[in-house]
Amino acid sequence: MTILKIFISTIIAINCLSVKAMEPMEPWERVNMTEDEFVLISSVVEAESNRDPENIEGRTMIAVCILNRVRDSRFPNTVTGVLTAPGQFSTVRGGHSVTSRTELSDQAVIEAYNWIEQGDAPEVLYFNCRSYFSGIEPYDCIGNNYFSCDGGIQ
């Protein structure tokens, strides 16, 4: 009888874990960020994308650029640090974005995070809506932004 009780208890525990695993995750939990960081990066991605309503690719590249900076030793090592660094993102004022996040910008941040985790994302570190930066290797123009690399992540 004891073995049967242990077996049943084990099955119940496994089922409880399975149900817990099936509960929907918040978007920031999918990308290993705090809620505040996720809201800030998603809002900045939305603002910097010039609100192009259909452009998931451009939004994803902006998020890749921001997340690459977090990984690069030349920049602050947090999302908030990168986005609030002086002179970097004109859409951030007082530690907050001037634009609200959207479902599309949330999706772009998640896609960027996953792309980087898979090791396939380009090592872009800069973008500009006017032109490529002088003296920095151009990567591509996507949406309304010009993306550039600078020798890769350091």
Side-chain angles (χ1 to χ4, degrees), residues 44-107:
V44 169
V45 165
E46 185 62 27
E48 296 286 346
S49 70
N50 299 316
R51 292 201 167 274
D52 185 352
E54 305 283 325
N55 189 1
I56 185 67
E57 185 181 14
R59 283 174 173 80
T60 302
M61 284 299 293
I62 291 168
V64 165
C65 181
I66 294 166
L67 294 173
N68 280 345
R69 286 185 179 196
V70 173
R71 297 172 45 223
D72 190 288
S73 63
R74 295 170 285 184
F75 296 93
N77 64 355
T78 66
V79 169
T80 302
V82 165
L83 295 175
T84 60
Q88 292 301 302
F89 291 89
S90 62
T91 59
V92 176
R93 295 195 186 94
H96 301 285
S97 176
V98 298
T99 303
S100 297
R101 72 188 234 246
T102 64
E103 191 173 314
L104 199 57
S105 60
D106 285 0
Q107 180 184 347

